Amino acid sequence: MNKVELAAAVAEKTGLSKKDSEKAIKAVVESVAEALKNGDKVQLVGFGTFETKKRAAYTGHDPRTMKPIQIAASVLPVFKAGKALKDAIK
């Protein structure tokens, strides 16, 4: 399911127009991204939790030359599914 299909499904379930549903989805995604950027955690009870995870710097290797290279530390977004979502999928 892509964003347009999600907007259509939301519009059907809520009675909103597809355009309004797309705006709502866009606002939710932007709000989650902004919260993660600020280091906050976003919990949607019954759905899951969005948070960030710090990855330490490490030494990898260039697959073409096999020479060691230093890979910088980074911050990654992580989603952890909630119990209700896990149960709904079973």
Side-chain angles (χ1 to χ4, degrees):
M1 177 180 282
N2 62 30
K3 193 173 179 181
V4 173
E5 294 168 339
L6 179 60
V10 170
E12 186 178 316
K13 289 186 184 235
T14 62
L16 295 172
S17 70
K18 285 184 183 179
K19 191 172 185 178
D20 288 341
S21 295
E22 287 177 14
K23 285 181 183 178
I25 291 167
K26 184 178 179 182
V28 169
V29 170
E30 287 175 355
S31 297
V32 170
E34 186 67 29
L36 294 177
K37 184 178 176 183
N38 293 333
D40 296 332
K41 181 174 13 175
V42 179
Q43 284 185 302
L44 303 173
V45 176
F47 184 70
T49 304
F50 296 91
E51 58 189 336
T52 57
K53 179 180 176 184
K54 292 182 181 178
R55 175 185 262 175
Y58 62 99
T59 302
H61 68 277
D62 183 339
R64 286 179 282 166
T65 63
M66 298 307 283
K67 291 184 180 179
I69 56 173
Q70 188 63 26
I71 299 172
S74 61
V75 178
L76 304 171
V78 177
F79 175 74
K80 187 174 179 183
K83 183 176 180 347
L85 178 60
K86 289 178 186 176
D87 291 343
I89 293 173
K90 288 184 181 178

